[in-house]
């Protein structure tokens, strides 16, 4: 079915573009991974770009969902849609917090650069072709500024070529479709030129993988405004965009030789470059980030620092990963730290020298809301995915975790009702890769703890899943949190700052004191019976609350045991489980 074209660049166009770009990258992911030879031949550029856009798409969808479900008093029906600025900022923020790898981090800055221009429209509902042209120009320029040492023949060159082509439409009165088509054609031409600009690409007989990903993203932009998806039909002899239908995708240089095998000794991570990729989000002031750039530039290469307004995404290749993280600690608060050794994964291992690791029979993969629980789950043998407050994991991250578990059978615990669709998509993807996956619809981390407690890898898979599902289902769950705004609830109207006790997802208690509200919530849960109470304390839980609740259980409920865990930065002040 043809895509209904968008006449102007408005919030709906942002939403449509993100969705189409995610689909396009999903189709091209394996192809892009296969031609990834620079800056490291690790075969993950397509996957990293996909995960970055998936995070951007999730953020945009969340903004639309917020408007669509807002009470009429807050958002009348006539304005139940975000502004262009709202949608663009959400897209940029989602890409920033979900950016993966070198190309994903640069793509996040490209989207942020566009959003900075689109957000200047204020509350305007849309912008036109000139606005899109300016956004593409600023995106390309800001991405170059984010890279410590820009290299031609990369995604930066392709972005500049796209912006140059879009600039050529100035004064022609072109609409968004015209500008998008020009940018796409310019990007294809820029991509075709990358082998001549970068020797490693020419030797391998491929175009730049990150640039190929950007072409897919810009093709989605064309489809957004025209309703027709242009087909990238190769790079031999030119951009290969004479038409907008037909043709096949050929990312390799057709006139060149078959791609050469890239020896890891010639790539970063072996003798020719740093051994580690370090990525983290960083909360820091601009002045501190300027010092951080200089410090990291001296430690390694492929340095990209993107973001602003107090939140940054840092990417660098280094030999001393600890020093790179320490530099982040000195600059501010780094988190979501990911360190990849360029010799550890299958994509980096030299043929015949590294034995293939045997798959285990069964593993558990769980989403957990805090570092403390992550440690608890890991000790119990689970592979964990950390979900920070306001930053739910995307399906691609869950698929990565399933792969990392390296098992023939996997039990997936989402531990959040809002993640059921994300987890289902991840499970389906993993099944398509030959992994047997059972999704247990746990709605809270305490239900996951109950399921993990009865997990036995030695029994039949179906029996294990049934036992874990039964344990999770028999566990009632609650959380104590602080209301962010006035709302209607099942327990009445709450005001911003009120303490809420939510049982099985619904507000049951509204109070002013955290400990008192927690006691009332626990009493309601135990009124229906129970044998074991699980308390998971967040970092901001008041001192003494665990002792107070334990004493309450001992005094009022016979033969009920209590266990306490530290959850860390988990969002809720307190999680409660009763089974």
């Amino acid at each position: 079915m043809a895509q209904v074209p968008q006449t102007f660049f408005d919030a709906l166009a942002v939403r449509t573009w993100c969705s189409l770009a995610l689909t396009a990258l999903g189709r091209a992911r394996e192809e892009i991974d296969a031609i990834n030879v620079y800056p490291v031949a690790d075969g993950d550029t397509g996957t990293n770009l996909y995960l970055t856009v998936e995070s951007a798409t999730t953020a945009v969808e969340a903004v639309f969902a917020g408007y669509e479900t807002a009470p009429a008093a807050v958002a009348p029906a006539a304005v139940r849609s975000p502004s262009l600025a709202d949608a663009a900022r959400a897209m940029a923020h989602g890409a920033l917090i979900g950016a993966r790898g070198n190309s994903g981090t640069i793509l996040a800055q490209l989207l942020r650069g566009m959003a900075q221009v689109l957000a200047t429209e204020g509350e305007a509902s849309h912008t036109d072709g000139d606005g899109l042209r300016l956004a593409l120009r600023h995106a390309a320029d800001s991405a170059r500024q984010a890279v410590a040492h820009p290299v031609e023949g990369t995604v930066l060159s392709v972005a500049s070529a796209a912006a140059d082509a879009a600039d050529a439409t100035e004064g022609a009165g072109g609409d968004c479709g015209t500008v998008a088509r020009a940018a796409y054609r310019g990007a294809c031409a820029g991509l075709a030129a990358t082998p001549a600009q970068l020797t490693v690409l020419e030797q391998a007989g491929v175009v730049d993988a990150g640039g190929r990903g950007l072409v897919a993203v810009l093709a989605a932009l064309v489809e957004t405004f025209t309703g027709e998806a242009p087909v990238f039909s190769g790079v031999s002899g030119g951009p290969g965009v004479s038409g907008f239908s037909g043709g096949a995708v050929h990312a390799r240089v057709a006139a060149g030789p078959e791609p050469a095998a890239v020896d890891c000794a010639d790539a970063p991570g072996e003798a020719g470059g740093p051994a580690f990729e370090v990525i983290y989000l960083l909360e820091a002031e601009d002045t501190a980030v300027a010092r951080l750039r200089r410090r990291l530039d001296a430690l390694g290469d492929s340095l990209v620092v993107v973001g602003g307004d107090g939140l940054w995404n840092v990417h660098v290749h280094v030999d001393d990963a600890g020093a790179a993280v320490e530099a982040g600690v000195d600059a501010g608060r780094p988190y979501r730290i990911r360190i990849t050794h360029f010799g550890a994964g299958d994509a980096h291992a030299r043929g015949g020298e590294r034995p293939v690791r045997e798959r285990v029979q069964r593993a558990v993969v769980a989403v957990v809301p805090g570092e403390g629980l992550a440690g608890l789950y890991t000790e119990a043998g689970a592979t964990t995915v950390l979900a920070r407050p306001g930053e739910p994991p995307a399906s691609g991250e869950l698929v990565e975790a399933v792969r990392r578990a390296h098992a023939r059978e996997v039990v997936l615990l989402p531990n959040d009702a809002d993640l059921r669709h994300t987890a289902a998509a991840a499970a389906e993807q993993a099944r398509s890769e030959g992994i047997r996956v059972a999704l247990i619809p746990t709605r809270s981390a305490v239900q996951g703890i109950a399921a993990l407690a009865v997990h036995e890898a030695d029994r039949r898979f179906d029996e294990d899943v049934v036992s874990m599902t039964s344990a999770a289902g028999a566990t009632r769950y609650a959380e104590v949190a602080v209301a962010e705004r006035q709302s209607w609830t099942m327990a009445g109207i709450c005001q911003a700052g009120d303490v809420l006790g939510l049982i099985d997802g619904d507000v049951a208690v509204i109070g002013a004191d955290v400990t008192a509200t927690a006691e009332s919530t626990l009493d309601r849960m135990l009124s229906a019976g129970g044998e074991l109470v699980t308390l998971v304390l967040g970092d901001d839980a008041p001192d003494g609350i665990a002792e107070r609740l334990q004493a309450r259980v001992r005094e009022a409920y016979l033969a009920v045991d209590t266990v306490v865990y530290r959850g860390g930065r988990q969002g809720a002040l307190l999680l409660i489980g009763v089974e």
Side-chain angles (χ1 to χ4, degrees):
M1 181 183 296
Q3 173 67 35
V4 177
Q6 302 290 317
T7 305
F8 297 104
F9 205 159
D10 57 8
L12 182 58
V14 173
R15 185 186 201 181
T16 302
W17 181 31
C18 287
S19 176
L20 292 174
L22 186 64
T23 300
L25 287 170
R27 288 194 298 262
R29 180 182 64 80
E30 291 185 0
E31 170 210 332
I32 296 171
D33 282 346
I35 63 170
N36 174 199
V37 298
Y38 182 85
V40 177
D42 50 358
D44 63 359
T45 291
T47 300
N48 288 337
L49 290 170
Y50 179 89
L51 292 174
T52 302
V53 173
E54 184 180 46
S55 182
T57 303
T58 299
V60 172
E61 290 298 327
V63 168
F64 271 86
Y67 274 84
E68 290 164 0
T69 60
V74 176
V79 292
R80 288 195 183 180
S81 177
S83 66
L84 170 60
D86 289 336
R89 289 192 189 103
M91 173 184 69
H93 180 73
L96 177 68
I97 65 174
R100 296 296 187 92
N102 190 69
S103 292
T105 306
I106 293 173
L107 178 61
Q109 185 61 27
L110 287 167
L111 296 180
R112 177 179 171 81
M114 291 189 70
Q116 287 174 324
V117 173
L118 299 176
T120 61
E121 300 294 329
E123 296 304 310
S125 61
H126 66 267
T127 191
D128 56 13
D130 276 342
L132 175 57
R133 177 180 58 78
L134 292 172
L136 290 167
R137 177 79 271 162
H138 185 64
D141 293 345
S142 63
R144 278 188 177 272
Q145 293 168 5
V147 178
H149 302 284
V151 174
E152 297 306 326
T154 65
V155 64
L156 296 176
S157 303
V158 178
S160 293
D164 290 344
D167 281 343
T169 67
E170 183 178 6
D175 58 13
C176 288
T178 300
V179 174
R181 279 192 181 99
Y184 172 75
R185 289 187 173 115
C188 287
L191 181 64
T194 56
Q197 296 172 308
L198 198 55
T199 302
V200 67
L201 301 180
E202 185 177 28
Q203 290 175 340
V206 298
V207 294
D208 179 65
R212 173 65 185 95
L214 180 58
V215 165
V217 172
L218 291 175
L221 187 65
V222 173
E223 186 177 1
T224 298
F225 294 119
T226 68
E228 299 179 34
V231 177
F232 174 70
S233 57
V235 297
S236 178
V241 290
S242 57
F244 283 87
S245 62
V249 176
H250 300 292
R252 303 192 185 279
V253 180
E258 281 298 306
V262 178
D263 190 338
C264 289
D266 294 329
E270 298 289 343
F276 297 96
E277 177 185 60
V278 178
I279 306 174
Y280 49 80
L281 292 178
L282 177 70
E283 293 177 357
E285 298 297 325
D286 290 5
T287 53
V289 171
R291 292 193 298 271
L292 175 66
R293 288 179 191 270
R294 293 191 293 272
R295 186 168 170 182
L296 291 179
D297 192 27
L299 287 175
D301 58 29
S302 296
L303 174 60
V304 186
V305 181
V306 304
D309 303 319
L311 180 62
W312 308 81
N313 190 306
V314 179
H315 170 281
V316 67
H317 295 172
V318 293
D319 281 321
D320 189 345
V325 174
E326 182 182 345
V329 172
D330 290 344
R333 189 181 76 84
Y335 60 100
R336 277 199 177 185
I337 301 168
R338 293 191 295 272
I339 300 174
T340 303
H341 181 220
F342 286 137
D346 293 339
H348 303 274
R350 298 187 190 184
E353 290 188 11
R354 187 180 301 275
V356 177
R357 182 163 63 97
E358 181 68 22
R359 286 184 180 274
V360 298
Q361 182 60 32
R362 189 175 309 158
V364 176
V365 173
V367 180
V368 291
E371 294 89 343
L373 279 178
L376 174 67
Y377 272 75
T378 301
E379 288 176 8
T383 298
T384 61
V385 178
L386 189 60
R388 294 185 178 276
E391 300 173 10
S395 64
E397 292 179 78
L398 301 189
V399 173
E400 275 197 343
V402 171
R403 293 170 181 153
R404 194 168 69 247
H406 206 62
R408 299 181 182 89
E409 302 167 338
V410 171
V411 180
L412 182 56
L413 307 175
N415 291 340
D416 186 336
D418 292 336
L419 288 178
R420 62 188 184 279
H421 296 307
T422 301
E428 192 61 33
Q429 173 64 35
R431 291 182 189 118
S432 73
E433 298 177 7
I435 304 170
R436 189 180 185 187
V437 181
L439 171 60
I440 298 178
T442 48
R443 294 172 289 175
S444 170
V446 292
Q447 287 190 324
I449 291 172
L452 199 55
V454 300
H455 166 58
E456 292 183 16
D458 293 335
R459 61 184 165 196
R460 291 178 57 248
F461 185 63
D462 292 340
E463 292 177 356
D464 197 26
V465 171
V466 167
S467 178
M468 295 175 72
T469 302
S470 177
T475 303
R476 300 187 70 198
Y477 65 95
E479 68 176 80
V480 176
V482 177
E484 295 180 355
R485 55 185 174 274
Q486 183 187 59
S487 300
W488 288 89
T489 74
M490 297 287 289
I493 301 175
C494 73
Q495 305 294 329
D498 284 347
V499 182
L500 308 179
L502 297 89
I503 299 177
D504 294 338
D506 293 322
V507 176
V509 181
I510 300 175
D513 178 74
V514 174
T515 302
T517 302
E519 279 190 336
S520 297
T521 302
L522 183 56
D523 284 339
R524 288 186 180 227
M525 297 179 75
L526 287 172
S527 65
E531 299 176 354
L532 176 66
V533 173
T534 301
L535 305 175
V536 183
L537 306 180
D539 280 347
D540 296 327
D543 294 338
I545 187 172
E547 292 77 7
R548 177 85 169 265
L549 294 177
Q550 286 176 302
R552 175 67 181 166
V553 171
R554 285 195 302 270
E555 294 166 2
Y557 303 97
L558 297 177
V560 177
D561 294 324
T562 305
V563 293
V564 180
Y565 302 109
R566 294 281 176 181
R569 285 169 45 87
Q570 62 184 21
L573 297 171
L574 174 71
L575 300 178
I576 304 173
V578 173
E579 53 186 296

